[in-house]
Amino acid sequence: MSLGTQQDGPLGKEFVNIGVQQFNPSMAKAYDLYIANTFLTVPLALHLAPSADKIVAWIHESRSFFTLYGKDETQYGLSHLRRAVFPSKFQINEYRDLMPDCELHQLRNVVSMTGIERSNTYSDHFSVSGTWEVRKNQVGLLKLIGDTDLNIKLNFVGASKPDDLDSTKHNYFGQVPLAEAKSIIASSCGLISAALNETQNLAAIEAILVANPVLLSNIPAHQELKELIPDITLFDTADAASFADGFDRAMRQKQNLKSLEEGRKSAEIYFGNSAFSEAVRSLTT
């Protein structure tokens, strides 16, 4: 049984569409396995499951998330877990002392752009994915652009324009269905992320899967992605010159079709169904 936190949101609907039931109180009974999706559902899983051995926690947040949002990491029962999986390997070292009796494994998300339509509608815009929040750092990205002489137009996918923001050059799509979000990312000329906290940047991988260049903040999750796909460009979010240099490199990479195609093939290998199935198989044997 999958324990999710947004049953009425877009992700809940996506789960329903692929036949995954999310827990609700009327369905309480014994299950063979309880999947606690994000740390928020771990206390519920510990309450419902007959033992911690029946629980696998899939934790998508890095440990710095707790500091960023002022949450007490000891209040979620993580130390009682016996098995946990993480999208990125850097999280394993982050969480090890907090979960001393727990098996910690990496399980990358599957990312696919199969069947996604591309158009030229947004071909002069870079996409930026995620709700408008501190962790995604859209404010910091706009400041970086303002501190340079770069004329960059952005598609904010998943974010509406804040009331106090005076900007008409960018597009603000708000929450849109998953297929539409992917289509906007595919149709943009590249993707930029100034995120301060990520564990696996799915939107960046989606852009790579359609052979678009990506420009990413220099944080552990993006460093790990660059280990897999070396031509990714990283920049320092506190340095406008680093951003401008990175943007220049990303624009040059857009002309290097061979490099982009190699990145696309690598992303298909590392984030495809086969890699995911093999990782799950290794967890259950």
Side-chain angles (χ1 to χ4, degrees):
M1 173 55 62
S2 171
L3 303 174
T5 57
Q6 297 185 29
Q7 293 182 21
D8 297 328
L11 288 181
K13 294 174 184 175
E14 295 292 336
F15 276 121
V16 170
N17 289 340
I18 62 174
V20 176
Q21 289 181 309
Q22 291 183 281
F23 175 81
N24 67 62
S26 66
M27 299 164 59
K29 63 178 183 178
Y31 292 96
D32 295 326
L33 183 66
Y34 295 76
I35 301 174
N37 190 20
T38 81
F39 74 90
L40 292 171
T41 61
V42 169
L44 178 59
L46 290 167
H47 174 72
L48 293 171
S51 72
D53 293 330
K54 295 282 188 179
I55 301 170
V56 173
W58 197 356
I59 300 178
H60 300 274
E61 301 80 11
S62 76
R63 196 165 171 181
S64 59
F65 177 94
F66 297 98
T67 303
L68 193 63
Y69 287 96
K71 295 184 180 293
D72 183 351
E73 61 188 16
T74 66
Q75 298 300 305
Y76 295 92
L78 300 181
S79 62
H80 299 294
L81 292 170
R82 296 293 175 265
R83 284 182 295 171
V85 295
F86 306 89
S88 294
K89 63 184 179 182
F90 79 87
Q91 296 172 272
I92 294 175
N93 291 329
E94 280 191 331
Y95 277 90
R96 196 178 299 279
D97 68 301
L98 188 62
M99 306 161 73
D101 300 318
C102 188
E103 293 181 19
L104 308 180
H105 302 274
Q106 183 180 12
L107 183 64
R108 296 190 187 103
N109 290 286
V110 173
V111 187
S112 173
M113 293 294 274
T114 301
I116 297 301
E117 297 289 334
R118 301 187 72 168
S119 72
N120 293 322
T121 307
Y122 311 116
S123 59
D124 60 343
H125 284 62
F126 279 77
S127 56
V128 181
S129 180
T131 56
W132 198 278
E133 57 174 316
V134 172
R135 183 169 61 96
K136 296 295 186 179
N137 196 30
Q138 292 96 335
V139 171
L141 174 58
L142 290 175
K143 183 178 185 307
L144 281 170
I145 294 173
D147 288 342
T148 70
D149 58 1
L150 298 171
N151 180 27
I152 302 175
K153 294 186 284 187
L154 303 173
N155 289 322
F156 288 98
V157 184
S160 299
K161 185 169 72 171
D163 293 337
D164 60 347
L165 186 64
D166 181 18
S167 175
T168 57
K169 68 186 293 186
H170 309 305
N171 295 320
Y172 302 84
F173 292 92
Q175 292 287 342
V176 295
L178 183 59
E180 183 178 344
K182 289 186 175 188
S183 179
I184 296 169
I185 289 170
S187 301
S188 301
C189 62
L191 179 137
I192 302 175
S193 172
L196 303 174
N197 185 287
E198 288 278 8
T199 53
Q200 193 175 92
N201 193 326
L202 301 183
I205 298 166
E206 289 167 351
I208 294 167
L209 282 169
V210 293
N212 275 345
V214 297
L215 177 60
L216 308 177
S217 53
N218 191 12
I219 59 175
H222 295 157
Q223 293 164 7
E224 191 168 320
L225 186 58
K226 185 174 175 63
E227 289 177 10
L228 303 178
I229 305 172
D231 284 337
I232 285 173
T233 302
L234 303 181
F235 68 93
D236 182 354
T237 57
D239 186 345
S242 172
F243 175 75
D245 180 64
F247 183 78
D248 182 61
R249 280 184 281 133
M251 290 300 289
R252 290 200 306 271
Q253 187 192 15
K254 190 166 179 61
Q255 310 306 316
N256 190 340
L257 301 183
K258 180 181 178 181
S259 169
L260 293 172
E261 179 61 16
E262 289 175 351
R264 186 192 66 76
K265 290 179 179 178
S266 294
E268 284 185 339
I269 293 171
Y270 291 118
F271 302 100
N273 283 307
S274 296
F276 182 84
S277 298
E278 182 58 35
V280 170
R281 220 174 350 258
S282 69
L283 291 174
T284 56
T285 55

